[in-house]
Amino acid sequence: MTDGHAPMGGNVGVRDILRIRDYRWLLGGQAVSDIGDGITLLLLLLVINELTGSTAALALMAIAEAVPQFTVGLVAGVYVDRWNRRTVMLAADLLRAVVVIGFAFGAAMELLPLLYVLGFVQASISTFFRPARGALLPRIVPAAGLPAANSLAQGSMVIGSVIGAGIAGLIFGTFGSGVAGFAIDAATFLVSFAFVSRITASLGEIRPDGTVGAGQRDVRRSLLEGIAVVRGSRLLGGTLLAAAVSMLGLGAVNVLFVPLLINDLGVSATWMAGIELAQTSAMILAAGVVAILARRFAPTTIITVALLGVAGCIGILAGVTAVWQVLVALFIVGWMVTPLQAMLQTIVQTAATDATRGRVVALLQASLSTASVVSMAIGGVLGDLIGIRMVYAGAAVIVAGAAVVAFLMFRGAPRGTAAAPVVPVEAS
């Protein structure tokens, strides 16, 4: 398994997939760019806060980076299913390196609008990179190894975010500006480019599935075809629906967490680092057992149980009276989140054909982002009207509802991960 090709059959764990040369290049590129993303995410907030001191200005940047997920992202999935996915990733890395350098030049009050534009552009480019990576992974790793590969990706993202945030805080605290940090992030995209360029070029090519190729359809019809694939598969439809419903609850939980901690519990902000460590450490530890769980349980079962576990923890957070209870709840959540996200990705990657996988991955990301933004908006309003704890209680019910949706939808779905057929979309 050291010739760069995926091993076939059997239980494939972390050690097995790390022997695959092309996967090592893919993971290495992601790990480096995850650190860069962590740097820029915090640096942008620090720079905007330094320039404006306005929470509205910070929220505007969050919106600018969220909107592309459910607008540009849908169209991005169409082109990911037309172009060589390795080439898409290489182009995205180069373009993002240029954009991040632009952040350094736009870090001035008179150029503040430029930061928002660049934030939107960078997020838009990323909507091409992520579906391309998600669609490329099953060409490198066999289906039996996807749970392990996706769990490693989650672990890389978490660790990279923590390391990146630490670097950003150190740089900004030392130099009082984000120029050096943005330069480091640009360099990480170039390193990622170097790693991805080592992946076998033919793996990025799309395998035809016997239908008219996406390249021969217009964008609208290609997008509708991707939606039809999801609607025509109980497994895919259940996965996307359960994920979207869960985010209708989790978005509000995320946006109201700081007010719950500081305003309701009266906890010092210095506790944030410890609380973040509790969940992060659990997510990293959980990444090591995902492959083991996947050998014993179906991905659909793991998703349903994980959603129930997350719902229970949110219910606990609705009634916490001390910070140690928050630490325990979030440590448990961390153990649930990594398997949940890994199995969601695994089902999407294996239940769609190679020719439609980019669109299906993009649809998953778009549905999650849309539900999250809606939830954050509603949660922010309801937090003032009925109180944060009541919102948390409602969120727990919604996430539990997502588990019920998953259970009902998956009951009629096959346990296996056979690729879903492409559903042709006729011209209207």
Side-chain angles (χ1 to χ4, degrees), residues 173-322:
T174 302
F175 300 104
S177 79
V179 174
F182 292 133
I184 292 174
D185 190 14
T188 65
F189 284 124
L190 296 179
V191 173
S192 175
F193 177 92
F195 279 126
V196 174
S197 68
R198 300 297 299 273
I199 296 173
T200 304
S202 60
L203 292 175
E205 298 172 358
I206 299 165
R207 290 173 174 169
D209 54 19
T211 64
V212 177
Q216 300 177 43
R217 299 181 184 275
D218 60 36
V219 172
R220 175 178 173 274
R221 290 177 65 194
S222 294
L223 178 57
L224 291 176
E225 186 178 79
I227 294 173
V229 168
V230 174
R231 292 179 61 185
S233 167
R234 195 172 182 89
L235 189 60
L236 286 173
T239 299
L240 266 70
L241 182 59
V245 173
S246 68
M247 286 309 302
L248 284 176
L250 291 174
V253 170
N254 293 333
V255 78
L256 294 177
F257 181 72
V258 171
L260 171 71
L261 197 68
I262 296 178
N263 299 342
D264 275 33
L265 289 181
V267 175
S268 169
T270 57
W271 273 94
M272 289 300 298
I275 292 171
E276 179 71 21
L277 179 62
Q279 183 171 354
T280 299
S281 60
M283 291 178 68
I284 295 171
L285 292 171
V289 302
V290 168
I292 298 174
L293 291 174
R295 294 172 189 167
R296 299 182 179 182
F297 305 101
T300 53
T301 301
I302 295 174
I303 289 173
T304 304
V305 173
L307 286 172
L308 284 174
V310 172
C313 290
I314 296 174
I316 292 173
L317 288 172
V320 293
T321 57

Side-chain angles (χ1 to χ4, degrees), residues 103-127:
F103 285 135
F105 292 100
M109 190 61 190
E110 61 273 16
L111 296 175
L112 185 61
L114 178 61
L115 286 182
Y116 294 113
V117 173
L118 292 175
F120 178 88
V121 172
Q122 185 193 26
S124 297
I125 297 170
S126 294
T127 63

